[in-house]
Amino acid sequence: MKKFLALLLAAMMLLGCAAMAEEAAPALTKDLVVLFTSDVHCGIEQGWGYAGLAALRDALAAQGNHVILVDNGDSIQGEPVGTMTTGEALVNLMNAVGYEVAIPGNHEFDYGMDRFLELTQKANYPYISSNFNKEGELVFKPYVIKEYDGVKVAFVGITTPKTITSSAPKYFQDDAGNFIYGFCQDETGEALYAAVQKAIDDATAEGAQYVIGMAHLGNEAECQPWTYADVIANTTGMDALLDGHSHDTDQVEMLNKDGETVLRSACGTKLEGIGYLTIGTDGAMETGIYMW
């Protein structure tokens, strides 16, 4: 009987420690606002402009929020300022504004692979992508983790496999015409889903309490099976997906593979809108757009 009571007491102590550990998990002490742009296409004098974006970011920070600024691709191509500088003017502006993370969209490659990789070295922010690879090895880190008030927030990069054909295919080939770069572009979508899921799982194992997708996927039928809806429906563990590529402004809630709700947000093109994701101190999440 004494042995049973000792075992029971030990079990209760273990359960108590587990409960205390769960209660002690860090929580935000002030709201986190993730501001995001997408498909800017060098539209630096349109909509908000980068000066307006910086002013909005600073105003939100002055209100007592944590604020991070990220970009979902197609920023360096589209207007003469991009063409004349082969993208460098946009990277310089993004450095000046204070971007913290970016992903490549399909048009980041329009000046050639060597030039894009050169531009990434000029950027003060990392480019991430969980599915952009060279001969099977990832070119960039699949995710980054930022920490606020002890809370780890992971940002997972996802680039549309349509890039392989929507930019010049030769940029992804070697001198013999063999494709050496890829985006997990199998016909079923399973390769992309697996790459994204691995990044989510690895970030979670590293302690991320929130996982945010930064995507250039869009909603166009021609992009199936690689649309944002395909990726959300075939993965689990992602809390929200900030998206670009199709230039839409849809704010969507849909279920993932486990039947859990994922928020999806897009913000249009050429700085007509600045997207946001807010994570409150109570863990509640909300997306929307600051329209010009």
Side-chain angles (χ1 to χ4, degrees), residues 110-191:
D110 284 4
Y111 306 121
M113 183 64 69
D114 291 343
R115 178 54 173 165
F116 172 57
L117 295 179
E118 181 183 19
L119 290 174
T120 66
Q121 297 303 306
K122 296 178 181 291
N124 294 337
Y125 48 88
Y127 280 86
I128 59 172
S129 179
S130 61
N131 64 304
F132 172 42
N133 65 86
K134 181 180 182 181
E135 297 177 327
E137 298 294 326
L138 290 178
V139 177
F140 303 130
K141 290 182 178 180
Y143 62 88
V144 295
I145 291 180
K146 300 286 186 176
E147 190 167 327
Y148 308 90
D149 304 326
V151 177
K152 292 183 177 181
V153 181
F155 295 85
V156 173
I158 315 168
T159 304
T160 176
K162 284 288 288 184
T163 300
I164 206 80
T165 54
S166 59
S167 190
K170 66 180 181 180
Y171 294 148
F172 308 106
Q173 300 171 340
D174 62 17
D175 293 339
N178 302 307
F179 281 96
I180 57 174
Y181 290 95
F183 297 86
C184 300
Q185 64 275 4
D186 75 320
E187 294 182 357
T188 66
E190 292 297 329

Side-chain angles (χ1 to χ4, degrees), residues 33-56:
V33 182
V34 182
L35 287 182
F36 72 97
T37 55
S38 181
D39 301 281
V40 173
H41 287 296
C42 307
I44 60 177
E45 297 180 344
Q46 303 179 43
W48 284 89
Y50 280 129
L53 171 60
L56 175 60

Side-chain angles (χ1 to χ4, degrees), residues 63-270:
Q63 292 172 7
N65 302 292
H66 295 296
V67 184
I68 180 173
L69 177 58
V70 305
D71 183 79
N72 287 335
D74 282 9
S75 66
I76 66 173
Q77 173 273 351
E79 297 281 354
V81 66
T83 304
M84 293 171 65
T85 65
T86 56
E88 187 164 350
L90 275 297
V91 171
N92 290 340
L93 281 167
M94 291 172 71
N95 284 340
V97 172
Y99 279 84
E100 295 189 46
V101 192
I103 67 168
N106 53 302
H107 287 298
E108 255 67 42
F109 301 95
D110 284 4
Y111 306 121
M113 183 64 69
D114 291 343
R115 178 54 173 165
F116 172 57
L117 295 179
E118 181 183 19
L119 290 174
T120 66
Q121 297 303 306
K122 296 178 181 291
N124 294 337
Y125 48 88
Y127 280 86
I128 59 172
S129 179
S130 61
N131 64 304
F132 172 42
N133 65 86
K134 181 180 182 181
E135 297 177 327
E137 298 294 326
L138 290 178
V139 177
F140 303 130
K141 290 182 178 180
Y143 62 88
V144 295
I145 291 180
K146 300 286 186 176
E147 190 167 327
Y148 308 90
D149 304 326
V151 177
K152 292 183 177 181
V153 181
F155 295 85
V156 173
I158 315 168
T159 304
T160 176
K162 284 288 288 184
T163 300
I164 206 80
T165 54
S166 59
S167 190
K170 66 180 181 180
Y171 294 148
F172 308 106
Q173 300 171 340
D174 62 17
D175 293 339
N178 302 307
F179 281 96
I180 57 174
Y181 290 95
F183 297 86
C184 300
Q185 64 275 4
D186 75 320
E187 294 182 357
T188 66
E190 292 297 329
L192 176 63
Y193 312 150
V196 174
Q197 189 64 64
K198 183 178 188 311
I200 295 170
D201 293 344
D202 289 349
T204 302
E206 201 172 323
Q209 290 175 237
Y210 297 96
V211 178
I212 311 303
M214 288 176 54
H216 199 81
L217 294 170
N219 59 10
E220 298 165 342
E222 65 183 29
C223 291
Q224 293 175 338
W226 311 308
T227 66
Y228 79 81
D230 294 315
V231 170
I232 291 175
N234 287 280
T235 58
T236 184
M238 188 160 51
D239 298 289
L241 182 70
L242 312 179
D243 194 24
H245 187 52
S246 51
H247 298 189
D248 68 277
T249 56
D250 297 342
Q251 310 299 304
V252 177
E253 293 185 11
M254 65 171 291
L255 301 182
N256 67 9
K257 190 175 181 179
D258 282 350
E260 299 165 334
T261 299
V262 178
L263 305 181
R264 183 268 185 180
S265 179
C267 63
T269 184
K270 295 199 174 181

